[in-house]
Amino acid sequence: MTWFDAPADAATRLATAGYLADAATATTTYLAGALEKPLLLEGPAGVGKTELAKAVSRATGAELVRLQCYEGLDEARALYEWNYKKQLLRIQAANAGDSGVDWDATHDDIFSEEFLLTRPLLTAIRREEPTVLLIDEVDKTDIEVEGLLLEVLSDFQVTIPELGTVAATRRPFVVLTSNASRELSEAVKRRCLYLHIDYPDAERERQILQQQVPGLDDRIAEQLVTTVGRLRELELKKAPSIAESVDWARTLIALEIRDLDAKAITDTLGAVLKHQSDHERAVKELKLARS
Amino acid sequence: MSTERSDASGLLERHLAFVEALRGAGLSVSLAEDIDSLAALGAVRWGNRAMVRDAFAATMVKKQAQRTTFDALFDVYFPAMVGNGAGAEEGDEAGDGPVRDNASALVDFRDRLAEALEASQVDEAELRRMAAEMVGVFGAMPGRGPGLSSWSAYTALQRVAPQELVDRLVAGLMGEGADEEDARRRANRRIGSFTAMVEDDARRRIAEEKGPDHVAEVAVRPSIDKLAFMAARRGDLEEMRKEIFPLARRLATRLAKEQHSRHARTAPLDFRRTVRASIATGGVPITTHHRPKRPHRTDLVVLCDVSGSVANFAQFTLLFVFALREVFQSMRAFTFIDHVHEVTGHFRPGADPVDVLTDLAAATSHAALWGRTNYGRAFTKFEENHLDALTSKTTLLILGDARSNYSDLHEDALRRLTGSVKRTFWLNPEHERNWGTGDSAAPAYGEIVRMIECRNLNQLSEFVHDLAW
């Protein structure tokens, strides 16, 4: 299966799935499908990295398999695990029956499909249907985990000592996301296409807002995008992301605010800025009256 | 698209030269990535320059900090146009040949530029064309022979002086209903991006004349994390400051993680938890659990030279140390020029970095009694007034270029200071080869304290990483 026919095709189909991609995103997404290489997305939190993976799955009708990374994630959670409890039961059951069940048979028996618990990576590799594999926040894992990703990312296969190598029958569309809280290893990066997603330009952000928040009129969308753009230029601890401007738009609608003037901004600033010092900075720079 | 004109073999050579240049600029483009980039190119074809750039970037750039370098080199090796551009000749209103550089042409050009910049929606292509015209007409430096002529963005910018258009632009934008501050900001941003276009264009023309390899060697600035503090321009400084907090966060996570993983191997076994967990596996301790270990923490005392020569450097290191407070149990900071002044109070947790820097700048004035850097006096003063800051658990960090205006160095004071603390480091923002030249006392102090070259963000983060261990 080809994922997308051309960059333009990627852009339109992603748009239909509710994701407005800029040119670079569309091109890179298309390439990831065409070259069958994993796609590493980096960028500030909340600019739609995870969303892109979901949109690819919606646009192509593929199922999304998600591996959420965290500190302490290990092989057993990422790849596969043997069901120890069930294996023990089997051994005990074999012993209880006593008789002449020899060890070799039991041994072969307990390392079979039946006792294998597949985790996201193996699941994605083994699926016959089109699959989007999302490895989310890969920078949160320990360095060791990158090692086990390598085999999956370059050869799309997983080696299980007891069963042998499981290779993908159909290569999944792999998306890795990272907030760059640590540098990923060269080895992982070499296997991936790389795309840095940044805050969208004003025009695209306005479109995103209007798509995500029905009932948002043009004028207020314009004002909102300008203000958010302004906030991003300040030296803030956490600059507002797309997710936050969408939240803000929803807040404004809920409060039935029709005009984003200084007072309205001050009242609702909590929806966009999440640090006290950022608030103070914004109030000072935008010359808002202190509430 | 100039690239379409070349034949296939020339293209491959150019591609290889491009990859070489990227490697030269510090991007690690492996052979595998090189091959990928050609595969990607096969998938998108040469039809659209932006698309080719995206495809190359996706396969060869793996770090956002390198993107600026990549873009600059891409423009040099795969220029958007050749000479004055395809449309330039017919567009000239003079009709006969290229526009001459004279006063009326200058006035005329500035008018047109102002118009283009004032438009409510900026037409990027038009601006790029104007940048090309500007360099072609006002930035030409005719040489004595063929191949010796050159172009200078500097000359062009000096002559046209787009910065002087700011007021006009502000007035224009305000006419459309923007308030003044907003208009000024937008005007500055537009002029800034136009200036960058002019610089790009000059680079492109020089590359055309002298070959891209020459330009790649001399004109492409290093990426922000490798840019020397002392050589940074205004715009770079702002970008660096934005980098500082994410950098500190990255470093803190990395530290926590490394301590965590090292800990897992060396920490004592938690027997009860291990046994309890083994019940699930029939009494076989498949996973072991370990006792938590007290995190290792450091008391830090920073002694920072804030004289004019190292002001940039001091800003960054202080801000960086401030951002890294989490890693250190307690921190005290002192600034000096010839007199020592404590600035710890400015580093309130959760404080706004912009305010901190403003406060620090204001506090700097206390550090100078005589106005000339004097390390010897600073050390003796520190010993007199603040010796209580140093304990046997302290790490003392001295930041400065060790240029002491030929004054008495008071090595004995520094030796006493270092003797009373756990360890001492000296970060010097100068290149190691300049240590000891002129009034630099680096060798003399370097004998007492370990002196480390720290010229850019990369070296700074590496150092702090080692320090926190």
Side-chain angles (χ1 to χ4, degrees):
Chain A
M1 148 173 181
T2 50
W3 293 89
F4 298 103
D5 298 331
D9 175 52
T12 33
R13 279 166 67 192
L14 285 176
T16 330
Y19 189 93
L20 296 171
D22 60 16
T25 310
T27 308
T28 318
T29 313
Y30 156 73
L31 281 177
L35 306 182
E36 296 195 312
K37 282 183 82 77
L39 173 58
L40 171 62
L41 300 173
E42 266 186 2
V47 289
K49 300 186 292 293
T50 306
E51 204 45 51
L52 177 60
K54 291 186 188 161
V56 169
S57 101
R58 283 197 299 272
T60 55
E63 185 153 328
L64 184 75
V65 176
R66 178 170 179 165
L67 173 66
Q68 174 67 49
C69 297
Y70 52 88
E71 207 176 314
L73 177 80
D74 57 0
E75 212 177 17
R77 298 273 160 233
L79 275 176
Y80 68 90
E81 192 174 13
W82 291 107
N83 193 339
Y84 299 118
K85 290 161 207 162
K86 228 169 150 189
Q87 283 173 328
L88 277 172
L89 278 175
R90 162 59 60 110
I91 295 170
Q92 278 168 355
N95 284 348
D98 207 342
S99 62
V101 185
D102 66 336
W103 167 241
D104 285 340
T106 319
H107 173 269
D108 290 343
D109 205 25
I110 59 169
F111 288 111
S112 63
E113 272 303 297
E114 192 190 344
F115 301 98
L116 187 68
L117 298 173
T118 63
R119 301 297 182 203
L121 290 183
L122 186 58
T123 313
I125 293 280
R126 297 214 306 177
R127 274 176 56 85
E128 311 255 306
E129 300 79 35
T131 312
V132 173
L133 170 61
L134 167 64
I135 304 177
D136 214 5
E137 305 192 22
V138 68
D139 54 327
K140 295 268 162 63
T141 58
D142 307 314
I143 305 212
E144 292 80 11
V145 178
E146 282 183 25
L148 62 106
L149 282 180
L150 291 180
E151 193 186 6
V152 178
L153 295 184
S154 61
D155 300 329
F156 294 93
Q157 64 178 38
V158 173
T159 305
I160 304 173
E162 296 85 355
L163 283 184
T165 303
V166 182
T169 40
R170 179 195 281 272
R171 290 196 167 192
F173 188 106
V174 186
V175 177
L176 296 90
T177 75
S178 156
N179 291 331
S181 71
R182 93 178 147 78
E183 202 69 62
L184 297 176
S185 74
E186 288 292 323
V188 167
K189 287 188 166 187
R190 203 162 50 235
R191 283 161 175 80
C192 299
L193 296 181
Y194 176 88
L195 177 67
H196 183 90
I197 302 190
D198 217 325
Y199 300 118
D201 56 34
E203 177 58 22
R204 201 163 74 85
E205 179 149 32
R206 203 173 50 72
Q207 288 171 0
I208 293 172
L209 280 183
Q210 285 179 329
Q211 190 189 45
Q212 302 276 325
V213 188
L216 190 71
D217 65 55
D218 286 349
R219 203 168 76 91
I220 203 155
E222 192 82 50
Q223 288 174 325
L224 203 154
V225 167
T226 322
T227 318
V228 169
R230 195 64 228 286
L231 289 173
R232 281 182 196 143
E233 276 175 16
L234 304 178
E235 233 171 274
L236 297 179
K237 281 193 181 143
K238 169 73 186 80
S241 63
I242 301 183
E244 268 127 20
S245 40
V246 170
D247 279 351
W248 202 9
R250 295 215 171 102
T251 313
L252 294 180
I253 295 231
L255 295 175
E256 295 184 346
I257 293 175
R258 304 244 172 272
D259 186 23
L260 197 59
D261 54 12
K263 186 182 176 310
I265 295 180
T266 326
D267 290 348
T268 53
L269 207 53
V272 251
L273 298 181
K274 312 289 166 77
H275 284 277
Q276 181 57 28
S277 64
D278 285 358
H279 266 246
E280 282 164 16
R281 165 111 290 182
V283 166
K284 202 183 325 167
E285 294 285 330
L286 301 181
K287 301 208 168 51
L288 306 170
R290 223 166 261 272
S291 55
Chain B
M1 294 286 301
S2 67
T3 42
E4 280 171 352
R5 293 183 200 167
S6 340
D7 60 49
S9 63
L11 264 185
L12 182 61
E13 262 161 40
R14 179 145 293 219
H15 173 80
L16 291 175
F18 177 53
V19 172
E20 263 319 303
L22 286 177
R23 286 179 188 153
L27 278 76
S28 53
V29 182
S30 67
L31 184 58
E33 282 156 329
D34 189 3
I35 294 171
D36 280 345
S37 74
L38 289 178
L41 195 57
V44 298
R45 312 235 169 268
W46 286 102
N48 179 333
R49 183 165 180 272
M51 216 176 264
V52 170
R53 180 198 288 256
D54 289 338
F56 273 170
T59 46
M60 295 197 277
V61 183
K62 301 289 162 87
K63 223 193 228 174
Q64 187 55 17
Q66 297 168 337
R67 184 61 200 246
T68 343
T69 315
F70 171 85
D71 281 343
L73 284 173
F74 184 84
D75 280 342
V76 166
Y77 282 85
F78 302 98
M81 54 179 157
V82 183
N84 284 326
E89 274 92 78
E90 54 206 85
D92 285 339
E93 52 264 66
D96 49 352
V99 187
R100 288 272 152 252
D101 174 11
N102 57 39
S104 70
L106 190 60
V107 172
D108 172 58
F109 182 79
R110 289 185 66 176
D111 280 344
R112 282 189 293 135
L113 179 60
E115 240 167 72
L117 286 171
E118 260 170 46
S120 53
Q121 271 309 324
V122 186
D123 179 358
E124 190 121 339
E126 170 68 11
L127 277 185
R128 207 162 274 284
R129 204 193 57 70
M130 294 203 74
E133 186 186 332
M134 179 165 147
V135 175
V137 177
F138 304 108
M141 299 197 297
R144 275 158 299 166
L148 287 174
S149 63
S150 187
W151 279 271
S152 159
Y154 179 77
T155 317
L157 288 170
Q158 284 289 311
R159 306 244 5 237
V160 180
Q163 201 58 40
E164 286 168 20
L165 293 174
V166 164
D167 290 327
R168 198 175 145 180
L169 227 70
V170 169
L173 289 169
M174 276 168 74
E176 288 169 30
D179 64 78
E180 184 181 347
E181 201 186 332
D182 187 44
R184 187 161 293 275
R185 220 165 24 79
R186 271 163 62 188
N188 273 322
R189 186 153 9 110
R190 282 184 189 181
I191 286 174
S193 77
F194 181 72
T195 310
M197 280 181 198
V198 171
E199 283 171 358
D200 286 348
D201 195 72
R203 224 175 2 237
R204 170 185 72 79
R205 283 169 189 265
I206 298 171
E208 214 170 277
E209 195 88 10
K210 302 201 166 156
D213 299 344
H214 171 78
V215 180
E217 252 166 58
V218 298
V220 176
R221 289 174 71 71
S223 60
I224 207 80
D225 51 349
K226 293 209 182 105
L227 186 66
F229 293 120
M230 314 274 258
R233 300 187 206 152
R234 240 186 97 85
D236 299 328
L237 291 180
E238 272 170 30
E239 213 175 312
M240 278 183 171
R241 262 171 56 179
K242 282 191 188 148
E243 260 305 289
I244 286 240
F245 273 79
L247 194 69
R249 205 184 47 227
R250 269 205 295 278
L251 201 55
T253 13
R254 186 168 136 204
L255 277 172
K257 238 168 234 163
E258 282 175 21
Q259 279 167 352
H260 185 257
S261 65
R262 174 179 286 199
H263 161 74
R265 287 193 294 274
T266 56
L269 188 74
D270 187 337
F271 191 71
R272 284 174 64 96
R273 277 190 71 196
T274 307
V275 168
R276 182 169 302 182
S278 74
I279 291 170
T281 47
V284 186
I286 302 275
T287 47
T288 58
H289 292 267
H290 298 265
R291 287 186 192 287
K293 202 165 70 178
R294 291 230 155 269
H296 152 90
R297 296 215 159 176
T298 323
D299 287 352
L300 189 69
V301 172
V302 185
L303 195 54
C304 184
D305 178 1
V306 286
S307 63
S309 62
V310 288
N312 281 348
F313 169 69
Q315 269 196 17
F316 284 111
T317 32
L318 277 180
L319 202 58
F320 193 59
V321 171
F322 167 53
L324 272 170
R325 282 182 62 103
E326 331 270 302
V327 185
F328 302 104
Q329 200 160 41
S330 78
M331 183 193 95
R332 287 181 74 176
F334 301 87
T335 55
F336 68 87
I337 291 175
D338 53 27
H339 198 82
V340 180
H341 177 68
E342 175 154 16
V343 291
T344 314
H346 299 295
F347 296 107
R348 299 176 306 277
D352 187 303
V354 182
D355 290 345
V356 170
L357 270 194
T358 331
D359 288 357
L360 274 181
T364 306
S365 53
H366 298 290
L369 278 184
W370 314 93
R372 306 189 70 183
T373 325
N374 186 330
Y375 280 79
R377 197 197 327 262
F379 291 141
T380 28
K381 286 288 162 199
F382 184 78
E383 197 180 13
E384 269 172 37
N385 302 333
H386 302 287
L387 204 56
D388 57 315
L390 305 180
T391 67
S392 57
K393 279 199 287 179
T394 306
T395 298
L396 176 63
L397 189 60
I398 303 170
L399 315 170
D401 58 0
R403 293 199 174 266
S404 193
N405 287 308
Y406 302 104
S407 56
D408 187 351
L409 296 179
H410 279 289
E411 287 108 321
D412 51 323
L414 180 61
R415 200 166 278 131
R416 281 195 299 276
L417 291 180
T418 56
S420 61
V421 297
K422 189 171 157 206
R423 42 185 191 164
T424 315
F425 299 99
W426 187 313
L427 295 189
N428 192 329
E430 280 192 325
H431 200 292
E432 201 166 345
R433 65 172 171 243
N434 295 332
W435 296 3
T437 60
D439 63 345
S440 166
Y445 285 137
E447 277 181 21
I448 308 168
V449 177
R450 203 174 134 214
M451 197 171 277
I452 298 157
E453 175 190 302
C454 176
R455 294 190 302 136
N456 52 37
L457 288 176
N458 252 357
Q459 285 179 336
L460 182 60
S461 64
E462 273 316 306
F463 168 74
V464 178
H465 177 246
D466 297 343
L467 174 71
W469 267 119

